[in-house]
């Protein structure tokens, strides 16, 4: 069975399990866990039960698709995402994005945690991704092009929809949420960066660095799906005063940023 056939079969399966026909897709990364509480849930489908979905590792074991209503719009939310560093290849990482597009979503919303390379950022600030630099080790579009989804050489001149960035910045300002616009550098992980790598990322124009999102955005843009993405800045990556990263501190910072991020996404979706 080809990849496209798998996407179609998975889509048909999901549509047999829920009557919800989502208008928007959300990837609930770090910092957006609480958004689930604002969704009026109609159906939940655990990843384990969905044909062709990547097989769960321990970390994403609890993963599920959540169908329901948020801010008056029908949505599908991925609770738990697949990271390249867990051992999935990029086609597996991005399989759910293909499926969400086939389910009919018109826009994709993504969140993540990222290190603040721009030293004017503070821990627990938010950064709306305005552009990105792909430093990951594999591209999800390599191999024969999937013509039914998009062209061979997808345009990347404006990967993140300008109108949604402006709307989100407006929402942040109106609510006193500390929020920047910036460039996200995507790496494969799972190790954090060396001091020399942080210096490199800052010099080439990165404002934040993280281990997700880029593959999903590339595949979304291949399908001409408009994207909005936002990072919770969880640590300051100052090469001259670099502290040892503690994952507990990163998670605490993400939790601190959660309220503002949830608000921005909810109000942004309400406006679409
Ligand atoms: N690098 C990569 N990913 C991250 C970081 C970082 O410094 N902080 C949080 N996620």
């Amino acid at each position: 069975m080809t990849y496209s056939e798998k996407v179609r079969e998975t889509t048909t399966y999901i549509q047999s399990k829920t009557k919800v026909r989502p208008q928007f897709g959300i990837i609930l990364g770090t910092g957006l866990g609480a958004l689930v509480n604002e969704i009026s849930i109609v159906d939940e489908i655990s990843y384990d039960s969905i044909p062709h979905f990547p097989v769960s590792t321990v970390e994403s074991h609890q993963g599920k698709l959540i169908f329901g209503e948020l801010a008056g719009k029908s949505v599908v939310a991925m609770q738990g995402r697949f990271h390249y560093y867990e051992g999935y290849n990029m086609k597996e990482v991005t399989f759910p994005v293909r499926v969400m597009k086939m389910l009919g979503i018109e826009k994709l919303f993504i969140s993540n945690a990222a290190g603040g390379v721009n030293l004017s950022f503070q821990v627990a600030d938010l950064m709306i991704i305005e552009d990105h630099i792909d430093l990951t080790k594999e591209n999800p579009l390599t191999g024969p092009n999937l013509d039914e989804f998009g062209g061979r050489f997808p345009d990347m001149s404006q990967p993140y929809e300008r109108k949604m960035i402006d709307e989100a910045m407006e929402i942040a300002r109106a609510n006193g949420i500390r929020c920047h616009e910036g460039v996200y550098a995507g790496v494969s992980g799972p190790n954090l960066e060396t001091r020399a790598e942080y210096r490199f990322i800052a010099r080439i124009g990165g404002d934040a660095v993280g281990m997700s999102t880029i593959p999903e955005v590339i595949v979304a843009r291949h399908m001409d799906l408009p994207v909005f993405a936002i990072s919770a800045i969880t640590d300051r990556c100052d090469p001259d005063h670099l502290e040892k990263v503690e994952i507990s501190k990163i998670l605490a910072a993400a939790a601190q940023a959660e309220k503002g991020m949830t608000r921005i996404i909810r109000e942004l979706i309400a406006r679409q």
Side-chain angles (χ1 to χ4, degrees), residues 9-263:
E9 195 170 275
T10 302
T11 305
T12 305
Y13 172 83
I14 291 169
Q15 286 175 333
S16 76
K17 294 290 172 191
T18 181
K19 290 199 170 64
V20 177
R21 295 296 176 260
Q23 194 181 0
F24 302 116
I26 309 167
I27 301 176
L28 299 169
T30 314
L32 263 193
L35 190 69
V36 173
N37 306 326
E38 315 227 356
I39 300 176
S40 310
I41 299 175
V42 176
D43 289 301
E44 296 184 339
I45 310 176
S46 81
Y47 293 163
D48 316 31
S49 71
I50 303 175
H52 311 307
F53 246 54
V55 177
S56 292
T57 65
V58 177
E59 204 179 320
S60 53
H61 191 62
Q62 307 271 330
K64 56 190 173 188
L65 285 183
I66 295 170
F67 291 84
E69 218 173 80
L70 173 68
K73 318 278 177 164
S74 59
V75 298
V76 52
M78 284 180 69
Q79 189 174 49
R81 65 138 63 93
F82 302 97
H83 297 92
Y84 181 75
Y85 62 72
E86 293 174 272
Y88 305 105
N89 67 45
M90 289 301 197
K91 288 198 169 56
E92 293 171 321
V93 167
T94 54
F95 185 81
V97 178
R98 299 283 192 198
V99 171
M100 288 194 284
K101 166 75 180 180
M102 291 291 279
L103 288 171
I105 66 165
E106 294 163 16
K107 295 190 177 189
L108 179 64
F109 298 81
I110 308 177
S111 81
N112 61 49
V117 175
N118 182 327
L119 297 178
S120 74
F121 295 176
Q122 293 173 21
V123 169
D125 281 0
L126 300 178
M127 187 191 87
I128 294 168
I129 302 178
E130 186 269 319
D131 204 346
H132 75 222
I133 300 171
D134 183 7
L135 300 173
T136 62
K137 299 192 171 97
E138 189 186 314
N139 189 297
L141 303 181
T142 52
N145 183 52
L146 304 177
D147 295 329
E148 61 269 57
F149 290 109
R152 172 77 288 186
F153 303 107
D155 173 67
M156 280 285 160
S157 58
Q158 182 63 260
Y160 303 87
E161 195 189 80
R162 188 68 240 173
K163 184 163 165 285
M164 286 200 282
I165 297 171
D166 292 340
E167 288 172 333
M169 285 301 286
E170 212 175 283
I171 294 163
R173 265 193 299 275
N175 290 281
I177 300 165
R178 282 185 57 92
C179 187
H180 315 272
E181 273 181 45
V183 174
Y184 176 90
V187 295
S188 297
N191 59 284
L192 281 293
E193 287 65 45
T194 64
R195 286 166 296 145
E197 286 166 342
Y198 284 131
R199 264 185 212 107
F200 166 73
I201 290 166
R203 281 194 197 162
I204 62 173
D207 295 299
V209 56
M211 304 176 193
S212 67
T213 302
I214 300 246
E216 291 102 322
V217 171
I218 289 173
V219 163
R221 295 308 301 146
H222 180 241
M223 301 184 290
D224 209 20
L225 191 59
V227 175
F228 175 83
I230 184 165
S231 300
I233 302 299
T234 54
D235 51 300
R236 287 179 88 252
C237 307
D238 180 352
D240 297 325
H241 307 90
L242 193 58
E243 291 176 21
K244 243 188 175 148
V245 173
E246 285 178 44
I247 296 306
S248 61
K249 277 193 191 166
I250 287 190
L251 294 177
Q256 220 184 316
E258 191 159 71
K259 201 165 158 229
M261 195 186 262
T262 303
R263 175 133 204 185

